[in-house]
Structure formats: structure tokens, C-alpha cells
Amino acid sequence: MAFELPPLPYNYDALEPTISKETMTFHHDKHHKAYTDKLNEGVEKDPALQGKTIEDILASISSQPPLVRNNGGGYWNHDFFWKSMKQGGGQPSGALAEAIESTFGGLDKLKEEFNTKGAGQFGSGWAWLIVDDAGTLKVTSTPNQDNPLMDDVKDRGTPLLGNDVWEHAYYLTYKNDRAAYLKAWWDVVDWDVVGQRYDAAKK
Ligand code: MN
């Protein structure tokens, strides 16, 4: 098999009460696994994809069928998502904190814009904080399992942070209240990782 389901970088209950053990178990073991398995089905059907990294595949996704687009996106997005969170969260620091201040006027303003994008994404999708080609921080959203690495999305860039606004990400705890989930989620954002991504993107 080309791609393997990466293990969660913490225990299933590590992000409680923000994300319940039950949500985490289904989200990782069922949803993320299904994206991984179906991505592998797509890769098996196309020898040209075999041996490519997921990032390479995403960078030319416009030439791929929906099977590879949806599940390649789902595979990458969830791995990125797990790694963006930790118990206890934290606060932005260093160059990232300065960029958030100068771009958005502070962390609260960034959260507000991000939550509005996430709540406004009709149906399923993701909200993102990215660095665009000009080196500027930007809040965006994508439908389905699209992401900012795909060559044909409206807002391309280097993802720093992403939140999954599919109902499977929050329904067991927050029911239909996506806004409540978006608001609570900041408690588990690993700002150290986001800052490292920012520093790497600016190099
Ligand atoms: Mn998901």
C-alpha cells in the first residue's frame, strides 16, 4: 500500500473536553482511515501516481479524478489537523505573533475572521490560516476535502492551521452548533507547531 494511516500523535481522550474521545476515535479510525484506503485505491488505478508524495499529488490535483482529489485531500488534511492540536493549546509567539498583530490587529480578530469563514462554509469543508505567495497571512476556506496546496483552489498557499468543519468533526458533542465548536476549538490549537510552520514558510 502506498499510503498508511498515520497514528494519532496523542491519546484519543487527550483533547477532552473540546474534542471528545468518541469523536476522536470515529474521526481517526473510521473517517481518516477511509480517506487513506480510498486514496490507495486511486493510486492503484494509476501507475503514474505510484511513488509520488501526497504533496506532489495535491500540487497537480486538477488533472486527477474525484477519487484521488477527495481522498488525497482527506488523507493530507486530517494528518495536518491532528498535528495542529495539543492538550492545553497555548498562544502564538515570536514572528507569528507579530504577523498576526500586524495583519489582523490581534489574535481575537484572527479568530473572529477564521470562525466566520468556518461557519460560512456551506456544507462540508475546512477553514484555513495560510501564508500566500507574497508572504502574507490570510484566512480562507475550501469545500469538501480541498486544501490550499491544490493547484486549482481559489486561495493557494502554505497552510499554517486548518479546522475541519465537516459535521463528523463536531456533531457528537456540539450537535448542529458549528459556531460553538469553532469557538471552543482554539483551546487545543498547538501554536508552537503553527509558529514553526510560519517560520519554515518564510524562509
Ligand atoms: Mn474530518
Side-chain angles (χ1 to χ4, degrees):
M1 298 290 263
F3 294 100
E4 282 180 18
L5 176 66
L8 271 187
Y10 32 68
N11 292 330
Y12 291 94
D13 61 358
L15 304 182
E16 291 223 14
T18 309
I19 300 178
S20 72
K21 182 179 178 180
E22 191 185 17
T23 292
M24 196 58 99
T25 303
F26 276 85
H27 203 172
H28 178 270
D29 293 6
K30 304 294 182 188
H31 294 279
H32 197 184
K33 182 175 191 304
Y35 295 123
T36 307
D37 291 346
K38 286 179 187 162
L39 169 61
N40 283 326
E41 278 175 33
V43 170
E44 261 175 49
K45 286 179 186 169
D46 183 358
L49 292 178
Q50 287 159 23
K52 282 196 171 182
T53 66
I54 187 61
E55 288 80 9
D56 281 346
I57 293 173
L58 296 173
S60 57
I61 206 71
S62 58
S63 61
Q64 296 302 324
L67 177 68
V68 173
R69 183 186 193 100
N70 294 333
N71 295 291
Y75 172 79
W76 189 91
N77 291 349
H78 287 83
D79 186 40
F80 182 79
F81 182 58
W82 312 136
K83 289 173 180 159
S84 303
M85 300 183 287
K86 72 172 178 192
Q87 194 169 36
Q91 293 291 321
S93 61
L96 174 65
E98 287 167 24
I100 289 172
E101 191 62 43
S102 63
T103 308
F104 300 101
L107 182 58
D108 287 345
K109 296 280 187 196
L110 160 61
K111 288 180 179 178
E112 204 179 303
E113 194 176 323
F114 191 100
N115 291 355
T116 300
K117 279 276 182 199
Q121 174 59 49
F122 183 76
S124 298
W126 291 74
W128 303 98
L129 174 66
I130 67 169
V131 184
D132 69 12
D133 289 347
T136 307
L137 290 180
K138 204 168 169 183
V139 170
T140 72
S141 63
T142 54
N144 306 314
Q145 293 294 350
D146 285 3
N147 69 43
L149 298 175
M150 293 180 170
D151 59 333
D152 57 358
V153 294
K154 186 168 148 272
D155 299 296
R156 275 191 95 179
T158 304
L160 302 182
L161 182 64
N163 194 3
D164 186 344
V165 301
W166 284 59
E167 283 187 347
H168 68 227
Y170 59 88
Y171 208 87
L172 293 174
T173 302
Y174 300 89
K175 299 297 183 275
N176 60 317
D177 198 349
R178 186 190 288 183
Y181 160 69
L182 280 159
K183 196 174 165 204
W185 177 73
W186 296 102
D187 289 346
V188 294
V189 169
D190 184 346
W191 284 106
D192 291 338
V193 164
V194 181
Q196 286 158 18
R197 290 168 178 163
Y198 180 69
D199 293 342
K202 294 289 279 185
K203 268 177 192 154

